[in-house]
Amino acid sequence: MPTATKRGLARTMQAVLVVLIGYGVWVGEPKTVTNGAAALAITFAPAVIERNYRVPIDPFLAFWLTTAVFLHTLGSAGLYASVGWWDHLTHATSASIIAAIGYILVRAIDAHHDEIVLPRRFFVVFVVSFVLAFGVLWELFEYGLDVLAATTGIEMPLAQHGLDDTVKDLVFNSIGALIVGVWGQAYLTGVGERALNRLPLDD
């Protein structure tokens, strides 16, 4: 997909997020406003990092991130309740983002520290383990929000929906991680190398 197309689609998703935020304000839905505002802020993170820290962000990664938060926001606006598989889609997509970040981080360590040698097969194991650990922390975070909501009576933007839902979330997190670990390395290696070559890192 051409870079211009990716950026155009990302801008379209950002515009839809703005509309969702406005809709949430209009109908008095704080959950939609909170999720939409948080998602919109995240979509601008790659541009802020590039501008302020001179760290190059591949256009596809920026598009990937925007898609993940966009899908989650649509789910919070009603699709989670009306489309049974939407939650599975967003978990797999979000997990793939976490997996990509984990892969690039460990690839940076491997490439810039001669005393550390990581076998290629290790990357798949690391990516899956990294996502599973993050997923467990996320579920604990949601559980904490549930406890806080029950204590204060304030509706939270995130919530758990029972043990079955938690297990399914972790399963689809694993699927997203496996996709990146097995098939995403070829692309991410190139992305990571292009970014690392432009950073002022010492060997």
Side-chain angles (χ1 to χ4, degrees):
M1 184 186 297
T3 298
T5 302
K6 296 172 194 170
R7 288 176 176 163
L9 289 173
R11 295 291 180 268
T12 300
M13 286 186 281
Q14 288 174 328
V16 174
L17 288 175
V18 171
V19 172
L20 285 174
I21 294 170
Y23 171 77
V25 173
W26 178 262
V27 300
E29 285 286 347
K31 188 174 181 179
T32 300
V33 175
T34 301
N35 281 299
L40 187 63
I42 291 172
T43 64
F44 285 106
V48 172
I49 292 172
E50 280 193 321
R51 184 182 68 247
N52 293 348
Y53 300 100
R54 307 296 182 184
V55 176
I57 305 295
D58 187 271
F60 180 75
L61 288 181
F63 172 71
W64 194 354
L65 177 63
T66 301
T67 301
V69 297
F70 177 73
L71 292 175
H72 168 67
T73 306
L74 288 182
S76 298
L79 290 182
Y80 283 143
S82 60
V83 181
W85 47 265
W86 195 266
D87 184 54
H88 305 328
L89 173 65
T90 57
H91 269 275
T93 306
S94 298
S96 68
I97 292 289
I98 301 300
I101 293 172
Y103 176 83
I104 291 173
L105 288 175
V106 77
R107 183 71 185 87
I109 294 172
D110 182 46
H112 288 274
H113 294 277
D114 294 335
E115 66 276 13
I116 298 176
V117 178
L118 301 176
R120 181 65 59 182
R121 292 180 181 178
F122 169 81
F123 287 101
V124 177
V125 176
F126 172 81
V127 163
V128 175
S129 300
F130 183 78
V131 171
L132 286 177
F134 187 90
V136 170
L137 291 176
W138 183 262
E139 295 300 327
L140 290 173
F141 172 67
E142 286 189 343
Y143 175 76
L145 290 181
D146 283 348
V147 173
L148 185 61
T151 303
T152 62
I154 300 174
E155 183 181 4
M156 297 295 163
L158 299 169
Q160 287 187 316
H161 302 283
L163 179 60
D164 287 348
D165 180 70
T166 298
V167 172
K168 288 178 182 178
D169 288 348
L170 294 175
V171 168
F172 281 92
N173 287 349
S174 302
I175 291 173
L178 283 170
I179 290 173
V180 173
V182 175
W183 290 289
Q185 287 194 53
Y187 175 78
L188 290 173
T189 297
V191 171
E193 288 301 318
R194 288 194 296 273
L196 292 170
N197 288 337
R198 292 174 59 183
L199 291 176
L201 297 175
D202 295 326
D203 293 328

